[in-house]
Amino acid sequence: MAERAGQWPDLRDWALDFLRGRARAEVFYLRELISVLVREDLLDEVWTTAVASPGQVPEVQWHELIGLREKAHPADVIRPFQDLIELGLERTSDKHRYPKAIKALKRLREDYVRAGDEAGFAAYLEDLRQRQRRKTSFIARLDAAFTISGVPL
C-alpha cells in the first residue's frame, strides 16, 4: 500500500527494522521477514538470516533461497541442500522421494563442481550411500545415476 502511495522509500527502513525486530522476538515472523527481504532484493541478508535459524525456515523457502544463492555462491548452498535431500529421503509418505533425491543430487553435484570440490561430492555420496544402505531401492537408483564405467562415483 505504501508503495502504491509512493511512500515506500520513506517507510522502507522503518518497516524492515520493525519486521526484523518481530522476527527476533517471535520465530513465527521469520518466514515473513525472509519473504520481504527476498522481495527487497536483500539477498545476502536473507541468506544470513536463514542460515542463523535453519530449523525455522520452511523447506519451500530453503528451495527458493538455494535457487537464488547457488549460482554466485555454490559452496554456501551445499550443506543446506544436503539437509533438504536427506529430509526428503526420510519422507516415507512420498512415493517419489527417491527420484526427487537423485534429481537433487545431480544438481548438488553441479554446485560442488562450481565450488571446485568434486572430491567433496564423491565423499558425500559415499557417506550417503553408507548411511542409507538399508534403502536398497534408493541405493540401486543412486548407483545407476552416479556410476562411471561400472565404477560408483
Side-chain angles (χ1 to χ4, degrees):
M1 195 132 117
E3 195 169 356
R4 283 184 283 178
Q7 297 177 350
W8 181 240
D10 297 333
L11 295 174
R12 179 180 186 263
D13 290 339
W14 174 84
L16 289 173
D17 286 342
F18 178 79
L19 193 52
R20 287 178 188 114
R22 287 191 83 171
R24 278 191 299 274
E26 193 166 334
V27 178
F28 172 79
Y29 293 103
L30 183 65
R31 297 170 185 177
E32 186 177 347
L33 173 62
I34 287 171
S35 294
V36 170
L37 292 173
V38 168
R39 281 194 303 273
E40 291 299 310
D41 201 31
L42 296 171
L43 301 182
D44 286 335
E45 183 179 352
V46 169
W47 188 257
T48 303
T49 301
V51 169
S53 301
Q56 303 301 321
V57 179
E59 189 175 338
V60 68
Q61 275 190 321
W62 269 120
H63 281 289
E64 177 186 12
L65 298 179
I66 288 169
L68 291 169
R69 187 93 176 161
E70 71 185 332
K71 288 205 189 316
H73 304 280
D76 291 356
V77 305
I78 289 171
R79 186 69 215 159
F81 205 5
Q82 289 172 340
D83 292 342
L84 287 178
I85 291 166
E86 294 184 33
L87 182 66
L89 283 170
E90 299 306 318
R91 191 170 295 118
T92 57
S93 61
D94 182 358
K95 64 182 180 178
H96 303 290
R97 68 187 179 276
Y98 295 162
K100 288 178 184 176
I102 297 302
K103 183 178 179 181
L105 284 164
K106 289 178 180 180
R107 185 170 150 200
L108 178 64
R109 178 178 54 189
E110 293 170 11
D111 290 328
Y112 267 100
V113 168
R114 282 196 310 274
D117 189 13
E118 291 179 60
F121 179 73
Y124 171 70
L125 206 57
E126 182 55 33
D127 179 59
L128 181 66
R129 180 181 279 108
Q130 291 304 314
R131 288 183 289 114
Q132 302 293 332
R133 69 183 171 272
R134 293 185 181 185
K135 295 178 178 157
T136 55
S137 178
F138 172 66
I139 296 302
R141 289 174 187 252
L142 189 68
D143 289 344
F146 296 100
T147 299
I148 300 171
S149 302
V151 178
L153 187 74

